[in-house]
Amino acid sequence: MNVLLVGNGAREHVIAEALARSRPTPNIFAWMKKTRNPGIAALVDRITVSNNYNPLGILDFAKKSSVNLAIIGPEEPLFHGVADAMEDAGIRTVGPRQKPAQLETSKSFTRELMKKYHIPGSPKFKIFKTMNGLEKYLNENMPVVLKPDGLTGGKGVMVQGEHFDTIAEALKICREILKEHRAVVVEKKLLGEEFSLQCFVSGMDVKTMPPVQDHKRRFMYDQGPNTGGMGSYSCANHLLPFLTPNGLAQATEIMRLTVKALTLETGQRYKGVIYGNFMVTADGIKLIEFNARFADPEAMNVLPIMETDFLTVCQAIVDDQLDQLDVKFKSLATVVKYVVPVNYGLPEDQHHAVKSDIIRIDDIGQAKLYYAGVYSDKTGLHLTSSRALAVLGVSPDLYEAEIIADRAADNITGAVDYRTDIGKIAALMEKIEKQCGDIWKN
Ligand code: AMP
Ligand code: GLY
């Protein structure tokens, strides 16, 4: 079996590790954009480092490597139609075609789909293609969240009370969004605790993975700007401290209904992974957004504790056999902490540049290490401007898993930083009480 893996982050590193653990072990070919990930490089047979995710270039590499299965990690190649190019050439692909990938690439598509098929979980929303009627709608629906319709690398969402306060400011933001995007989605601002639910999907079949909580804010106790994610945890009972079995069932049902609607609407089978970003609110489970891929860092919480063979799951996805597979995960808790450049997520003028600085990995104990935005040369391991390394602690106990991850992160030195609070039970309880206290009281 020859497998192509597209992408070069820690998410793709953990996917490569899961493939390398599969039996029989496949030959792995990797397509990376810009940076050669040293962790993936150690696990694969051949690598192309390109400056793009051009479908034709990737297809050519796949054909030359006699690839029979492709796995697409990030959203960007999905947006460019890499899955379509592969499938049209007869290479079966884990990752949706462009049309069903709209679930991630167009926020207006997803909200309209949920509305049309009466799927619960959307906040009140309206889509605006021009400024007409916006001021009146804002006046009547504050507080709101403003979302550009299109891929923004996770940085486009503007939340009232955080990124702006007044209607005048909201209108200015909408005007800017409409210059670059076909629409702006205005949503009612929800309050509650967020979680990620990742699922393997094949047509209308959905197999869920354990729920995970990501921490997007740059600083301790969820302060500072949003980032790609500073770390995440999952619990041994496959729930979260604020998520009941009923809440998880509601989120799973929203996923199932959406996948069914997506198949009916696009006429195409979704083959790949969907990750739903949900929120537990006083009003039940709400859907913040869907993504057409594994989440990062959350992929590192689930794949290392998966009992079922990963390649077998991938084959079931492309062969339309997922309903016949029991996808199992070990009852273990996990904590992931990202080690990032000290200036990560901050305006460039707030810190001296540390790009290219050397970092050192000392004793990481029992933790697992995943490489993200770093490169290595003869002089050592170097930072880029993205998240550098992720460490994972796994244990039957969340308390132990956090200690394992924290010790490892502390032993990675250089111009780096990480959040010591992620996965710590006391910090978690405080956060949940703050966000959900009123929900429990009601
Ligand atoms: P997204 O890029 O859609 O994941 O949004 C980034 C972040 O914005 C989410 O993780 C939420 O914290 C926040 N967000 C998005 N939509 C809403 C909403 N309707 N209410 C409150 N917060 C939201
Ligand atoms: N954990 C956030 C993301 O993968 O988009």
Side-chain angles (χ1 to χ4, degrees):
M1 187 88 182
N2 293 332
V3 179
L4 170 69
L5 175 61
V6 177
N8 61 342
R11 169 182 49 208
E12 288 73 31
H13 186 179
V14 77
I15 294 173
E17 182 193 65
L19 281 171
R21 218 174 34 238
S22 294
R23 293 291 174 272
T25 310
N27 301 310
I28 311 172
F29 300 87
W31 179 283
M32 303 184 188
K33 186 175 161 184
K34 290 196 179 141
T35 317
R36 181 189 166 95
N37 179 314
I40 302 176
L43 295 170
V44 305
D45 296 87
R46 198 186 309 157
I47 298 172
T48 290
V49 181
S50 165
N51 60 3
N52 61 52
Y53 285 127
N54 179 346
L56 293 180
I58 299 177
L59 179 61
D60 188 48
F61 176 61
K63 281 184 174 164
K64 283 185 182 138
S65 312
S66 304
V67 159
N68 16 43
L69 180 80
I71 301 175
I72 319 283
E75 63 277 22
E76 193 191 329
L78 297 172
F79 181 71
H80 292 314
V82 171
D84 303 69
M86 293 289 158
E87 290 274 336
D88 291 345
I91 299 172
R92 299 171 314 157
T93 300
V94 177
R97 284 174 175 266
Q98 262 173 333
K99 253 192 182 174
Q102 284 178 92
L103 204 58
E104 169 159 7
T105 57
S106 168
K107 293 186 197 291
S108 66
F109 171 83
T110 300
R111 289 294 182 214
E112 298 277 35
L113 184 80
M114 293 177 74
K115 191 170 166 189
K116 179 170 171 187
Y117 291 85
H118 307 290
I119 300 169
S122 279
K124 184 177 178 195
F125 74 96
K126 196 165 162 106
I127 297 160
F128 289 90
K129 293 196 167 135
T130 67
M131 296 295 290
N132 283 350
L134 239 166
E135 186 167 359
K136 183 167 181 288
Y137 189 80
L138 289 174
N139 261 313
E140 289 163 5
N141 290 284
M142 298 286 234
V144 294
V145 175
L146 308 171
K147 300 184 170 185
D149 195 23
L151 275 192
T152 56
K155 293 185 181 84
V157 174
M158 304 299 269
V159 180
Q160 192 163 12
E162 284 175 30
H163 305 102
F164 68 95
D165 290 306
T166 64
I167 291 189
E169 286 167 332
L171 288 169
K172 188 166 172 243
I173 291 169
C174 290
R175 224 169 272 124
E176 291 299 316
I177 291 177
L178 286 173
K179 273 188 206 155
E180 282 184 38
H181 298 272
R182 59 183 171 246
V184 56
V185 182
V186 182
E187 288 184 5
K188 193 87 190 152
K189 181 179 171 182
L190 300 166
L191 290 178
E193 202 59 25
E194 290 179 51
F195 66 96
S196 308
L197 183 61
Q198 303 172 92
C199 299
F200 294 109
V201 178
S202 179
M204 300 213 191
D205 298 316
V206 170
K207 298 281 174 178
T208 57
M209 302 178 226
V212 181
Q213 187 170 43
D214 180 20
H215 291 66
K216 288 205 171 86
R217 300 305 186 122
R218 172 65 179 81
F219 296 116
M220 297 272 285
Y221 308 116
D222 293 327
Q223 304 294 311
N226 264 329
T227 69
M230 291 294 295
S232 48
Y233 70 93
S234 69
C235 299
N237 65 356
H238 299 171
L239 288 170
L240 293 165
F242 55 91
L243 181 65
T244 61
N246 180 35
L248 182 58
Q250 277 183 49
T252 306
E253 187 58 12
I254 293 171
M255 285 276 202
R256 279 187 202 290
L257 293 171
T258 304
V259 164
K260 200 169 162 188
L262 193 57
T263 313
L264 294 172
E265 190 66 18
T266 63
Q268 291 182 350
R269 296 170 46 76
Y270 189 110
K271 289 188 277 180
V273 172
I274 295 181
Y275 119 62
N277 176 196
F278 290 94
M279 193 186 270
V280 177
T281 76
D283 235 3
I285 301 291
K286 300 287 178 197
L287 185 271
I288 300 284
E289 68 169 11
F290 282 121
N291 295 284
R293 52 179 170 81
F294 277 110
D296 185 352
E298 296 93 313
M300 289 174 275
N301 296 93
V302 294
L303 288 177
I305 62 162
M306 191 159 122
E307 269 178 309
T308 316
D309 184 86
F310 178 67
L311 190 53
T312 305
V313 176
C314 292
Q315 278 173 310
I317 289 172
V318 296
D319 290 345
D320 193 15
Q321 309 266 308
L322 194 60
D323 60 324
Q324 289 160 40
L325 206 63
D326 197 9
V327 183
K328 287 194 178 148
F329 293 82
K330 292 178 195 154
S331 299
L332 292 170
T334 65
V335 175
V336 175
K337 299 205 185 207
Y338 255 120
V339 175
V340 303
V342 279
N343 57 0
Y344 175 64
L346 301 182
E348 270 170 24
D349 56 0
Q350 286 197 12
H351 270 282
H352 68 286
V354 294
K355 209 167 163 175
S356 316
D357 271 21
I358 288 197
I359 51 172
R360 250 197 352 268
I361 305 168
D362 296 324
D363 181 13
I364 59 159
Q366 292 164 263
K368 292 180 96 168
L369 179 71
Y370 298 102
Y371 289 76
V374 284
Y375 63 92
S376 72
D377 63 16
K378 281 184 209 128
T379 58
L381 198 61
H382 298 263
L383 292 173
T384 65
S385 51
S386 311
R387 295 174 293 184
L389 300 164
V391 288
L392 165 72
V394 180
S395 164
D397 191 34
L398 184 62
Y399 178 78
E400 280 295 325
E402 194 278 331
I403 290 176
I404 295 168
D406 202 81
R407 282 199 186 134
D410 198 34
N411 276 334
I412 295 172
T413 49
V416 289
D417 190 17
Y418 74 98
R419 274 183 56 176
T420 55
D421 61 324
I422 292 172
K424 273 211 175 80
I425 293 169
L428 268 176
M429 288 307 154
E430 199 170 309
K431 167 176 156 68
I432 292 164
E433 172 63 27
K434 204 167 97 195
Q435 292 281 68
C436 290
D438 292 340
I439 298 175
W440 308 142
K441 277 172 212 147
N442 285 336

